[in-house]
Amino acid sequence: MLANEPHNGSPPGITLALGGGGARGLAHAGVLRLLSEHGITVKGVVGTSIGAEIGAFYGAGLGSERIEAMAREIDWMATVKFFLPTLDSGGLTSGGNITAYLRSYLGEATFGDCRPPLRAIATNMQNGQEVVLSEGSLVDAVRASVALPGIISPHSIGGALLGDGGLVNPLAVDVAREVFGGPVVAVAVHPGAQEADEDGESEPFRDPLEEQESPALMENLRRAVQITQAQLVRYRLAASPPDLLLKPVVPNMGVLEFYRGNEAFEAGVREAQASLAQLRALASI
């Protein structure tokens, strides 16, 4: 349920809407590092999928430097461990290793512990409704929000079976503005966020890792979801545009290529640096 929190007269600072996009979402960590270095206040974060994960780490107090180290530390073997197949769980993997990874950093932290406050977007897999998570365990919320269909099994919270928030709201600018107020800075990292002529990525939905390791059925399912999400983001941004849209460029990075975290992180830093003057101006409103 969407929390109706007043934000009239809200303090200076920006609200972040951090989008989904798998491994590319490690660029969010680079954006946070740049904001921290320049003293730009973040008064609230709304995250979808990987955006919810990075937002939870940030809100739980890990700090931009620690999150940077985490993004850079993920190697090939860690990536493989995250997605070890189980095949009997409603997805390629049950997500058990992902849950263990989240708990090793978040422990028993809850939404109430988050500074800045956080909201995480998930999808009710039983009725298709958007779910804005605002209370309870951060581990459970993130685990639900990252449950990419066909890859990671859905996660149950309070009797509801929840899946990836990107199915309904891949970049939740509308929720960010309603809950925390503006100005809203959105960070779009999903495949298709960049046009081909912007970054030379002629096949934005191609995932090199999955093409090597996954059956054609899984690859086609993943591409279908990503194409749908890209179109959904365009429609939602037209209806509820952010005050500033950042689009870190990570060419031809697969959704599961978390071992390329260093590239994604640096892309986030570059994109935020290029918009630093605008970020400063928005933070002072």
Side-chain angles (χ1 to χ4, degrees):
M1 183 172 67
L2 182 62
N4 292 315
E5 301 181 20
H7 53 261
N8 292 333
S10 60
I14 61 172
T15 297
L16 288 176
L18 304 180
R24 298 176 187 224
L26 296 176
H28 295 320
V31 172
L32 290 174
R33 179 62 185 272
L34 193 286
L35 296 178
S36 177
E37 286 181 346
H38 292 275
I40 294 173
T41 300
V42 176
K43 58 186 178 181
V45 179
V46 175
T48 297
S49 196
I50 184 68
E53 181 175 345
I54 299 298
F57 290 150
Y58 186 59
L62 294 182
S64 60
E65 290 187 7
R66 183 69 189 108
I67 297 171
E68 174 186 352
M70 291 160 62
R72 295 184 188 275
E73 286 167 1
I74 300 174
D75 59 16
W76 172 266
M77 288 304 298
T79 300
V80 170
K81 186 177 179 181
F82 287 150
F83 302 103
L84 284 175
T86 52
L87 300 179
D88 59 348
S89 59
L92 177 66
T93 177
S94 66
N97 288 335
I98 294 171
T99 300
Y101 174 81
L102 294 172
R103 196 166 300 282
S104 69
Y105 290 106
L106 296 173
E108 301 303 317
T110 69
F111 280 89
D113 298 318
C114 286
R115 301 291 184 274
L118 172 73
R119 298 293 181 267
I121 307 298
T123 301
N124 187 315
M125 301 300 288
Q126 295 158 314
N127 61 23
Q129 296 297 307
E130 175 181 309
V131 178
V132 181
L133 297 166
S134 61
E135 60 184 18
S137 164
L138 290 181
V139 170
D140 280 336
V142 173
R143 171 62 182 82
S145 189
V146 302
L148 184 66
I151 304 295
I152 306 169
S153 65
H155 188 65
S156 179
I157 298 180
L161 193 63
L162 303 182
D164 196 301
L167 294 174
V168 289
N169 204 346
L171 187 59
V173 173
D174 53 343
V175 177
R177 195 178 301 280
E178 181 169 349
V179 174
F180 298 120
V184 176
V185 176
V187 187
V189 295
H190 59 281
Q194 298 285 338
E195 300 296 336
D197 58 0
E198 289 184 84
D199 64 3
E201 187 170 12
S202 59
E203 297 181 87
F205 302 104
R206 184 180 71 86
D207 191 325
L209 181 64
E210 292 190 14
E211 286 180 352
Q212 294 171 14
E213 304 294 338
S214 301
L217 177 61
M218 296 296 294
E219 169 64 10
N220 287 331
L221 172 62
R222 184 196 57 74
R223 288 194 184 198
V225 170
Q226 290 182 348
I227 291 168
T228 301
Q229 288 180 350
Q231 294 297 327
L232 181 56
V233 167
R234 292 187 182 106
Y235 286 123
R236 281 191 171 268
L237 288 182
S240 182
D243 296 277
L244 178 63
L245 177 61
L246 304 180
K247 298 192 290 183
V249 177
V250 193
N252 296 317
M253 185 175 187
V255 172
L256 304 184
E257 291 185 309
F258 287 90
Y259 58 91
R260 294 175 60 188
N262 188 61
E263 296 174 54
F265 179 88
E266 294 297 340
V269 172
R270 287 194 301 271
E271 180 70 2
Q273 182 67 55
S275 299
L276 181 56
Q278 292 167 279
L279 288 165
R280 281 176 166 159
L282 290 172
S284 65
I285 293 176

